[in-house]
Amino acid sequence: MSDRVIIRQCIIPIIEEHLKDNLEPNTIKMYQQIIDHGVSEERAIELLAFYFEIYVKENFFSDEFDSKKWKKFLDKLTPIYHIPGEYVFDIQEERANLRAIARNYGKIKTDTEKWEDELYVVESHLLVYNELYAIDSYEAKKIINIVINRLFDLKNGYTSDYTDYAHEDILSLADGLEQICNPYANTQLYDYLSKFVDLEDQANFSDIFKSVFIVLAKVLDSIIFHEKKSGKYGYFDFISQFIDVDKCIDEGPVFFFNDHTLEK
């Protein structure tokens, strides 16, 4: 059992206790809000558990739960609701997506230096997830595959169901990775990229996302390699030699794209 699973299983009962007999009105209000957007009761509790985990991290030195601080935390959230789509996503879809990337966009082989800035952004983002949320290589791969599939869904006009593939915490972490590489999910990134490409023209999809696809696929290959070599934390042990995770946490997320990404 991974650390991520243990954390999830420890926090879910806290949320269930909040909901029991209307014990914590702020939790109940957010729970109802999530339910009203079409999320199942079980998944709503999972999502709230992840929010509570973040709240605890932000209030690490507090001796006890503070309902007012919890309300303030929830009020500033902009929830992303993971509504099940029409197509079930599974390992077969993972493989199909990776084959499509290799076929349509190629692979990064010996020219890693060309993509070092973009690789750094993705790998540092994942290392922060490892540090803050205790993800292992298995969960990192899921996060990447979810983002890849969301981009293909964007291209094809599909929606996917991740219910049997990933829990709400993993989907939420995938949201964070997607925010730095999908301009259609991040208005600030959209405004930035609009200086370089017409984002309204669907014909530009490959020009926009080719770099994202091949970099994510390269990171997946690296995770798999180090996982086989050194276990479920081998990849993070490796990249932590070159990336200062504390600095990354202090500076916050960085856009995948820079002024030269689309030229590559």
Side-chain angles (χ1 to χ4, degrees):
M1 184 180 296
S2 73
D3 292 343
R4 181 78 241 137
V5 173
I6 293 171
I7 293 169
R8 183 190 308 127
Q9 291 182 349
C10 287
I11 299 178
I12 284 176
I14 298 174
I15 299 301
E16 291 174 334
E17 186 66 24
H18 278 200
L19 297 174
K20 184 179 179 181
D21 300 325
N22 296 326
L23 182 64
E24 173 47 56
N26 300 304
T27 304
I28 293 167
K29 180 182 177 182
M30 178 58 78
Y31 172 77
Q32 190 60 54
Q33 179 179 322
I34 297 170
I35 293 292
D36 289 345
H37 280 82
V39 179
S40 71
E41 294 181 3
E42 179 182 0
R43 302 293 288 209
I45 291 172
E46 280 191 9
L47 185 56
L48 272 165
F50 184 62
Y51 292 161
F52 193 80
E53 178 184 350
I54 299 172
Y55 161 80
V56 170
K57 292 181 190 303
E58 291 186 3
N59 296 273
F60 183 75
F61 296 105
S62 298
D63 292 331
E64 58 185 27
F65 174 72
D66 187 321
S67 182
K68 291 182 179 179
K69 287 184 178 179
W70 176 231
K71 179 182 185 303
K72 184 177 180 180
F73 172 83
L74 291 175
D75 286 345
K76 71 179 182 181
L77 285 179
T78 305
I80 297 177
Y81 306 105
H82 306 121
I83 313 301
E86 55 186 331
Y87 297 104
V88 173
F89 183 70
D90 55 22
I91 191 170
Q92 284 74 30
E93 293 301 316
E94 278 185 9
R95 293 168 178 168
N97 287 342
L98 293 175
R99 288 195 297 268
I101 290 172
R103 181 174 62 252
N104 297 321
Y105 306 108
K107 298 185 71 173
I108 298 175
K109 296 180 180 178
T110 59
D111 55 342
T112 54
E113 186 174 336
K114 173 182 176 181
W115 298 99
E116 63 181 356
D117 291 337
E118 292 80 8
L119 285 165
Y120 175 85
V121 169
V122 173
E123 296 194 307
S124 61
H125 200 91
L126 292 174
L127 186 60
V128 168
Y129 280 176
N130 167 254
E131 179 72 15
L132 295 181
Y133 303 107
I135 67 166
D136 59 20
S137 58
Y138 174 76
E139 290 143 350
K141 289 184 292 184
K142 279 187 174 290
I143 289 167
I144 292 174
N145 278 306
I146 290 166
V147 173
I148 288 174
N149 193 66
R150 286 176 176 174
L151 296 181
F152 274 121
D153 277 357
L154 178 65
K155 176 184 180 182
N156 298 319
Y158 297 159
T159 57
S160 292
D161 182 351
Y162 300 97
T163 303
D164 296 329
Y165 182 80
H167 291 276
E168 287 295 314
D169 50 354
I170 300 302
L171 292 176
S172 294
L173 293 173
D175 294 338
L177 180 60
E178 185 181 3
Q179 288 279 320
I180 67 170
C181 61
N182 180 4
Y184 303 102
N186 184 332
T187 55
Q188 290 180 315
L189 179 56
Y190 187 97
D191 292 341
Y192 169 71
L193 273 188
S194 293
K195 298 184 297 183
F196 306 100
V197 63
D198 182 1
L199 295 171
E200 296 298 317
D201 187 348
Q202 294 182 352
N204 290 329
F205 180 90
S206 292
D207 293 335
I208 297 166
F209 290 110
K210 172 186 175 180
S211 56
V212 179
F213 281 131
I214 63 174
V215 166
L216 291 179
K218 177 62 177 179
V219 174
L220 273 176
D221 287 343
S222 182
I223 293 172
I224 293 168
F225 173 81
H226 289 287
E227 182 181 35
K228 290 179 179 178
K229 181 180 178 182
S230 307
K232 63 181 181 179
Y233 293 110
Y235 168 72
F236 296 109
D237 290 340
F238 175 73
I239 63 173
S240 65
Q241 299 176 73
F242 314 104
I243 299 174
D244 184 341
V245 69
D246 292 328
K247 180 181 178 182
C248 293
I249 292 171
D250 290 341
E251 293 180 348
V254 178
F255 289 159
F256 172 88
F257 298 91
N258 57 59
D259 290 358
H260 305 289
T261 300
L262 296 181
E263 300 172 359
K264 299 179 181 181

